[in-house]
Amino acid sequence: MNAKNVLEDLKRRFPNEPEYHQAVEEVLSTIEEEYNKHPEFDKAGLIERLCIPDRIYTFRVTWMDDNGNYQTNTGYRVQHNNAIGPYKGGIRFHSSVNLGILKFLAFEQTFKNSLTTLPMGGAKGGSDFSPRGKSNAEVMRFCQAFMLELHRNIGADCDVPAGDIGVGGREVGYLFGAYKKYTREFSGVLTGKGREFGGSLIRPEATGYGTVYFLRAMLATKGDTIEGKTVLISGAGNVAQYAAEKVLQLGGKVLTMSDSDGYIYDPDGIDREKLDYIMELKNLYRGRIREYAEEYPTAKYVAGQKPWFEKADIALPCATQNELNEEAAKALVANGCIAVCEGANMPTTPEAIRVFQEAKLLYSPGKASNAGGVSVSGLEMSQNSERLSWTAEEVDAKLLWIMENIHENCVKYGTEPDGYVNYVKGANVAGFMKVAKAMMAQGVF
Ligand code: NDP
């Protein structure tokens, strides 16, 4: 395999999908050497079969708003690869959603799910519908219309969606209710469900907690801990909130959180009480992060900017893709940042990754450090199959074990001759090998 040629071919065949090209390029450039040690992979055309999704569903979603007007959005499900288990990956509702973004997310998900050690393939779905500013009734009608199409193509042993940006407990509840109504079947077809109807304890916390467990393992390789460290967090949604909670529990100080309009910086730190305020503001009132600075006047609100130019020891990007660019990376390094651990999917641009790696910073890609969410989704599937529920302690212990195991695998496959751990390479090689072996064993389709 020549990674450059494969990428050029994909760009020609699937133009206008820059995020998909970016994700594929990152993986191919790091697995090329390992791949080429196995000539049988190339003979079986493995790389093309792994880069191109198994199938993609695109559908129209028409729903009625509160004024009685009909609105039309586009819905998608990208079923990328099911070599090691049923398709599994979140649903994103955001105005920016398009096919290229979902293809990148489904591709990444395949390697991430492989890293978790659980039997899950990779998928992703969503719509260009944004729940922002919509009433509960509008969100419900949209979810019902979306599921009216999607239900035919998913199932507990076939494809199991979950939440992502814009899809939290409320949306998963409406989607699950609609699936149950259309199919007359109560199954574990979605994860991230409410606790009363099959959801797992610790699922809401899992991505944020897992990211910080991974950060702790990275710091431990340097004999360091989170205690007393200052931390910049972007986002104020599910991942950011629980990353902040775990940082606080482990003795760190959270200085920033953000949303798509800007960020807040609190020099005194966002403590437990202030984090509760953010959780209520975001989850209950669906408010904006700028309101924090009105509630706590010692904090500042910076409109239209990202938090990366503030001084801190650690950065946790937990909002969205490509939110941390080269300029921001240089500022973080100049300000003495020692670790960047991704809670979001692909938040760091390729140029920024190079800055971190050249500076020998501890840097981990989301497919390794944010795998806690899908891991606990996998544990939710197990509990649904058993028709049992496990305690929070049991689930948290399994989550911790999985994150430490992913970290070990990254160190195993990513340690360079000078001892620097290239977590990008480690995660990609470890994730790829398992999927590749499973595909080889199952014949060519
Ligand atoms: P939420 O919708 O709960 O929160 C997203 C947060 O990011 C919000 O604060 C949102 O602000 C902000 N945001 C969204 N888009 C942008 C943008 N274009 N620029 C700046 N800020 C933005 O989503 P999650 O917390 O669930 O997801 C965050 C990231 O983590 C995503 O990359 C997701 O793919 C990834 N992830 C999530 C998992 C999960 O279990 N939920 C699992 C693994 C990865 P606003 O309110 O203004 O939109």
Side-chain angles (χ1 to χ4, degrees):
M1 183 249 298
N2 177 315
K4 215 166 150 236
N5 293 349
V6 176
L7 187 71
E8 284 314 311
D9 185 50
L10 289 177
K11 281 184 176 170
R12 186 183 53 75
R13 291 162 70 186
F14 309 104
N16 308 319
E17 297 180 352
E19 293 87 0
Y20 170 61
H21 304 154
Q22 184 182 332
V24 171
E25 183 167 15
E26 184 218 274
V27 170
L28 295 193
S29 63
T30 50
I31 66 166
E32 188 172 15
E33 194 186 327
E34 193 61 34
Y35 184 95
N36 286 334
K37 289 181 190 159
H38 298 269
E40 70 278 13
F41 288 174
D42 229 26
K43 260 195 204 142
L46 197 79
I47 205 62
E48 203 172 42
R49 289 161 55 209
L50 191 57
C51 289
I52 298 177
D54 287 356
R55 69 191 66 77
I56 298 171
Y57 298 105
T58 307
F59 46 94
R60 176 173 57 75
V61 185
T62 297
W63 55 283
M64 187 192 274
D65 69 20
D66 285 347
N67 298 320
N69 297 318
Y70 288 105
Q71 304 286 345
T72 292
N73 291 94
T74 305
Y76 307 89
R77 186 71 181 165
V78 178
Q79 294 181 337
H80 189 84
N81 186 293
N82 66 351
I84 61 173
Y87 299 108
K88 178 91 195 87
I91 292 182
R92 177 176 292 192
F93 290 164
H94 194 268
S95 51
S96 64
V97 163
N98 59 41
L99 187 56
I101 288 180
L102 295 179
K103 279 174 70 179
F104 119 64
L105 288 164
F107 177 80
E108 290 277 292
Q109 194 82 45
T110 299
F111 299 97
K112 182 192 304 187
N113 292 2
S114 167
L115 281 172
T116 66
T117 68
L118 303 175
M120 298 180 290
K124 203 81 187 189
S127 173
D128 56 357
F129 167 83
S130 171
R132 185 170 164 183
K134 306 288 192 304
S135 69
N136 280 339
E138 288 176 321
V139 171
M140 181 182 76
R141 287 194 293 273
F142 176 81
C143 288
Q144 292 173 344
F146 182 85
M147 191 51 88
L148 187 58
E149 279 290 334
L150 188 67
H151 79 275
R152 292 185 193 91
N153 302 312
I154 58 174
D157 292 317
C158 159
D159 182 355
V160 183
D164 190 72
I165 291 179
V167 178
R170 174 182 64 169
E171 290 76 14
V172 170
Y174 291 148
L175 291 165
F176 182 77
Y179 181 87
K180 192 165 62 77
K181 188 80 179 166
Y182 302 143
T183 60
R184 294 186 293 154
E185 189 183 278
F186 192 114
S187 71
V189 67
L190 283 146
T191 57
K193 300 185 290 297
R195 276 176 53 194
E196 304 76 11
F197 51 99
S200 175
L201 288 165
I202 306 291
R203 178 60 188 90
E205 293 88 346
T207 310
Y209 278 19
T211 301
V212 179
Y213 289 152
F214 196 92
L215 168 69
R216 183 168 64 175
M218 290 205 303
L219 290 171
T221 64
K222 304 277 179 199
D224 211 342
T225 68
I226 293 169
E227 175 105 49
K229 298 285 186 304
T230 49
V231 183
L232 306 176
I233 295 182
S234 65
N238 172 267
V239 180
Q241 290 173 18
Y242 288 104
E245 181 168 292
K246 190 49 82 179
V247 167
L248 292 186
Q249 285 172 11
L250 296 177
K253 183 175 175 183
V254 178
L255 295 177
T256 65
M257 288 181 80
S258 71
D259 59 25
S260 48
D261 296 333
Y263 75 92
I264 50 112
Y265 174 83
D266 188 336
D268 303 328
I270 300 169
D271 60 16
R272 180 70 254 181
E273 184 209 314
K274 293 169 176 172
L275 183 59
D276 285 342
Y277 168 81
I278 291 177
M279 287 178 163
E280 203 173 298
L281 174 75
K282 286 300 202 181
N283 307 345
L284 219 56
Y285 301 110
R286 302 190 185 270
R288 307 306 299 159
I289 201 70
R290 80 178 126 68
E291 294 171 52
Y292 179 99
E294 291 155 21
E295 183 75 14
Y296 301 104
T298 52
K300 67 172 176 181
Y301 172 66
V302 184
Q305 301 290 322
K306 313 261 186 248
W308 314 126
F309 297 88
E310 303 290 350
K311 185 174 168 53
D313 302 313
I314 291 164
L316 303 180
C318 295
T320 194
Q321 65 273 0
N322 292 328
E323 55 165 316
L324 199 167
N325 64 15
E326 186 176 15
E327 193 194 352
K330 284 182 176 161
L332 284 168
V333 172
N335 279 329
C337 178
I338 56 169
V340 178
C341 187
E342 295 183 349
N345 282 311
M346 209 170 76
T348 309
T349 64
E351 300 77 24
I353 294 174
R354 265 196 293 282
V355 171
F356 293 146
Q357 291 181 334
E358 277 165 22
K360 305 280 177 195
L361 228 74
L362 292 169
Y363 162 73
S364 85
K367 71 166 74 68
S369 44
N370 74 27
V374 74
S375 300
V376 174
S377 275
L379 301 179
E380 184 171 324
M381 289 164 72
S382 303
Q383 293 169 75
N384 291 166
S385 299
E386 287 188 324
R387 303 203 190 283
L388 287 174
S389 36
W390 305 340
T391 64
E393 291 72 25
E394 269 177 284
V395 179
D396 197 27
K398 287 185 166 66
L399 168 65
L400 176 61
W401 181 87
I402 289 169
M403 296 314 297
E404 292 186 343
N405 186 59
I406 295 173
H407 182 267
E408 259 175 48
N409 267 316
C410 289
V411 172
K412 180 173 165 191
Y413 291 99
T415 302
E416 294 182 338
D418 65 355
Y420 176 68
V421 182
N422 181 337
Y423 285 90
V424 179
K425 182 176 177 197
N428 287 339
V429 173
F432 162 76
M433 284 309 285
K434 183 172 162 190
V435 179
K437 285 180 184 167
M439 287 174 75
M440 290 300 290
Q442 293 171 22
V444 179
F445 289 100

